[in-house]
């Protein structure tokens, strides 16, 4: 235990694992299901991991399988996963004792990626206030729309709006509708608040707080914030346009709507496909050219220290600047008149290549476990699980226990892996008193 306290980042995977096991045990109880029957261990483990890792993949018919108690538990697990188990634990400590020790501060910093020894108490309160304010705003708007526009009972609308708002902001994909958000794909009063909530939740609190402080002077933003904000905007614009072009005439997706409806549906799907997981249009009926687009966006994910998964936007665009500098023959990699440290470049490359290796190995393993599963479907499911997105082409229920266990492990690795490994290599910098002679091997 002393070794863990000396290196608090090691507690991150352990905390998530404990939360998953507790959630699994609770979901196996009879009151959690509609039919009052015990849930199998594999189904409970998959669902708990999906909730804690804010993924949203499911092997059950969520609204018809889980009871109100079960759905409430899934909501709580999703909220805990979104805030981060360590952040939630630190908030409890803050509430009880009104003070945080050094170890607790380090634990929170590992989860929120706040570098430096700032006021963690203020950070925690701002995180909690931001999360609940955004979820409340989405809940109010959607409740009003469902009540007035769809003539549904108020309390039912409130529960539906709150459930989906929590899922959206935490970039998870559980839904109270069997077909996801297909019924609201071209309704801007429902889909756009969820899309915007997913975008905000996927930016990351360091970027959000800095934008709030210097929103009038973007030039003063840190490099990480610039990469996250402008990179996310570029991915959404590019992804939305490409998706709209690919699916424009598809009568099973956006082709059935008028022009404004097409734009709303495409924007919402791309905004939530990066990490959110809600199905706005039928994923299994997309054109073939749309699958590589969604797979790439899922793999990139959202911002650092956010509820999103993937290798992170800043990592992707940092590597893009590395390539651009190499193509131009520049001796340094610069972003916004700032030179990027070599250590940051190596960390980004390491995280990206390890993630590629995990996705490739997972895809090969899933194909080997499943008969007649197309390559694109296996790659899509594995990427969705590892990036904690939650989109699916509809093959999860047909997977064997081995396939479901593989995706469970990938969801866990996707949630704690990049965070833990990135923090570990950042904290494990060595300083040598000597350097070996330099040599330049032939590349290419």
């Amino acid at each position: 235990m002393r070794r863990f306290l000396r290196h608090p980042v090691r507690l991150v995977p352990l905390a998530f694992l404990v939360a998953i096991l507790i959630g699994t045990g609770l979901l196996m109880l009879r009151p959690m299901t509609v039919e009052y029957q015990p849930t199998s261990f594999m189904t409970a483990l998959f669902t708990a991991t999906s909730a804690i890792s804010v993924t949203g993949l499911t092997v059950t018919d969520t609204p018809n399988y889980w009871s109100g108690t079960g759905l409430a538990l899934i909501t709580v697990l999703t909220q805990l996963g979104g805030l981060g188990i360590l952040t939630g634990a630190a908030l409890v400590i803050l509430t009880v004792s009104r003070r945080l020790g050094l170890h607790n501060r380090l634990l929170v910093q590992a989860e929120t990626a706040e570098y430096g020894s700032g006021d963690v108490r203020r950070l925690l309160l701002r995180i909690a206030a931001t999360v609940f304010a955004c979820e409340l705003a989405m809940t109010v708007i959607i409740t009003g729309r469902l009540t007035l526009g769809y003539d549904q009972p108020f309390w039912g609308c409130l529960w539906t709006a709150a459930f989906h708002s929590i899922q959206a902001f935490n970039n998870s994909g559980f839904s109270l509708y069997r077909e996801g958000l297909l019924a609201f794909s071209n309704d801007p009063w429902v889909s756009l608040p969820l899309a915007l909530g997913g975008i905000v939740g996927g930016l990351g609190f360091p970027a959000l707080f800095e934008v709030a402080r210097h929103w009038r002077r973007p030039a003063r933003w840190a490099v990480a914030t610039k990469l996250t904000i402008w990179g996310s905007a570029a991915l959404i614009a590019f992804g939305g346009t490409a998706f709209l072009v690919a699916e424009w005439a598809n009568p099973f997706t956006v082709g059935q709507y008028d022009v404004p409806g097409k734009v709303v549906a495409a924007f919402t799907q791309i905004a939530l496909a990066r990490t959110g997981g809600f199905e706005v249009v039928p994923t299994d009926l997309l054109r073939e050219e749309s699958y590589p687009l969604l797979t790439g966006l899922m793999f990139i994910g959202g911002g650092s220290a956010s509820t999103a998964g993937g290798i992170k936007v800043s990592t992707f665009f940092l590597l893009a600047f590395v390539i651009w500098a190499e193509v131009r023959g520049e001796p340094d990699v610069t972003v916004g008149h700032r030179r990027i440290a070599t250590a940051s470049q190596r960390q980004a490359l390491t995280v990206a290549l390890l993630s590629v290796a995990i996705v490739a190995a997972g895809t090969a393993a899933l194909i080997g476990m499943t008969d007649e599963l197309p390559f694109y479907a296996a790659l899509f499911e594995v990427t969705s699980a590892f990036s904690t997105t939650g989109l699916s082409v509809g093959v999860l229920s047909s997977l064997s226990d081995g396939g479901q266990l593989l995706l469970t492990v990938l969801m866990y690795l996707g949630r704690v892996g990049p965070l833990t490994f990135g923090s570990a290599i950042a904290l494990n910098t060595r300083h040598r008193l000597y350097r070996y002679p330099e040599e330049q091997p032939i590349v290419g």
Side-chain angles (χ1 to χ4, degrees):
M1 179 60 68
R2 185 174 299 175
R3 294 178 58 188
F4 279 100
L5 293 177
R6 194 175 301 157
H7 302 282
V9 76
R10 297 176 182 175
L11 289 175
V12 174
L14 179 61
F16 276 93
L17 181 60
V18 169
I20 289 171
L21 294 177
I22 293 175
T24 300
L26 293 176
L27 287 174
M28 293 177 67
L29 300 177
R30 291 177 181 269
M32 298 298 168
T33 62
V34 172
E35 298 182 355
Y36 209 77
Q37 296 294 325
T39 300
S40 67
F41 174 77
M42 190 65 246
T43 299
L45 176 64
F46 189 97
T47 305
T49 306
S50 183
I52 288 292
S53 64
V54 292
T55 303
L57 288 174
T58 177
V59 292
T60 63
D61 183 0
T62 300
N64 297 319
Y65 183 85
W66 301 105
S67 65
T69 305
L71 293 172
L73 177 59
I74 290 174
T75 304
V76 172
L77 294 177
T78 301
Q79 187 74 83
L80 289 176
L83 286 171
I85 299 301
L86 302 179
T87 303
L91 282 171
V92 172
I93 295 172
L94 174 62
T95 303
V96 173
S97 63
R98 304 301 299 173
R99 63 180 298 180
L100 289 173
L102 175 60
H103 292 309
N104 293 322
R105 289 171 181 261
L106 293 176
L107 291 176
V108 177
Q109 290 171 13
E111 173 64 15
T112 59
E114 285 289 319
Y115 304 107
S117 56
D119 189 353
V120 178
R121 176 181 301 183
R122 185 178 303 172
L123 168 67
L124 292 176
L125 292 176
R126 292 180 68 187
I127 289 176
T130 303
V131 170
F132 294 123
C134 291
E135 292 174 352
L136 178 61
M138 287 188 288
T139 300
V140 171
I141 295 173
I142 298 173
T143 300
R145 176 58 177 169
L146 294 179
T147 303
L148 301 176
Y150 294 86
D151 196 25
Q152 297 181 9
F154 172 78
W155 294 111
C157 294
L158 180 62
W159 161 239
T160 300
F163 183 91
H164 288 90
S165 297
I166 291 174
Q167 298 295 320
F169 187 85
N170 290 287
N171 280 265
S172 187
F174 288 100
S175 177
L176 296 180
Y177 299 98
R178 187 173 186 178
E179 297 182 345
L181 298 180
L182 265 62
F184 309 103
S185 57
N186 66 332
D187 186 342
W189 290 101
V190 176
S191 58
L192 289 185
L194 295 178
L196 294 176
I199 292 173
V200 173
L203 289 177
F205 291 105
L208 287 176
F209 293 162
E210 184 166 18
V211 170
R213 286 196 304 268
H214 305 295
W215 64 274
R216 292 183 178 180
R217 290 176 288 183
R220 296 188 59 180
W221 294 351
V223 170
T225 300
K226 293 179 180 178
L227 291 175
T228 299
I229 299 298
W230 302 128
S232 297
L235 288 175
I236 293 173
F238 168 78
T241 302
F243 186 80
L244 193 60
V245 171
E247 299 294 327
W248 184 271
N250 187 349
F252 302 107
T253 57
V254 304
Q256 58 185 306
Y257 306 124
D258 57 11
V259 174
K262 293 177 190 289
V263 174
V264 171
F267 170 78
T268 305
Q269 184 63 85
I270 290 301
L272 294 175
R274 293 176 56 235
T275 58
F278 280 124
E279 191 175 30
V280 181
V281 297
T283 310
D284 56 336
L285 299 177
L286 294 173
R287 297 274 175 84
E288 290 186 2
E289 54 266 33
S290 295
Y291 289 111
L293 173 66
L294 293 182
T295 301
L297 291 175
M298 289 191 299
F299 183 76
I300 296 171
S304 299
S306 72
T307 57
I311 64 172
K312 302 300 184 288
V313 176
S314 57
T315 301
F316 174 78
F317 280 99
L318 178 56
L319 292 177
F321 276 100
V322 171
I323 295 174
W324 180 243
E326 189 64 27
V327 169
R328 297 179 61 190
E330 296 287 347
D332 299 317
V333 177
T334 58
V335 179
H337 303 291
R338 290 292 185 270
R339 181 165 52 89
I340 305 300
T342 303
S344 297
Q345 301 174 41
R346 292 168 56 185
Q347 291 165 16
L349 182 62
T350 302
V351 169
L353 289 182
L354 281 177
S355 299
V356 169
I358 292 174
V359 170
T363 302
L366 187 60
I367 292 176
M369 293 179 180
T370 310
D371 296 331
E372 301 180 356
L373 183 64
F375 170 77
Y376 83 90
L379 177 62
F380 193 91
E381 299 291 339
V382 167
T383 305
S384 179
F386 179 72
S387 63
T388 67
T389 300
L391 286 178
S392 175
V393 293
V395 300
L396 289 178
S397 59
S398 63
L399 295 180
S400 63
D401 286 349
Q404 293 180 12
L405 181 60
L406 172 64
L407 294 182
T408 301
V409 173
L410 288 172
M411 287 188 289
Y412 175 74
L413 290 177
R415 177 57 180 166
V416 305
L419 169 68
T420 305
F421 188 78
S423 301
I425 59 179
L427 295 172
N428 195 33
T429 302
R430 295 183 178 182
H431 299 280
R432 293 186 181 274
L433 299 178
Y434 61 91
R435 300 178 72 183
Y436 291 107
E438 183 179 277
E439 187 170 333
Q440 292 185 342
I442 298 175
V443 178

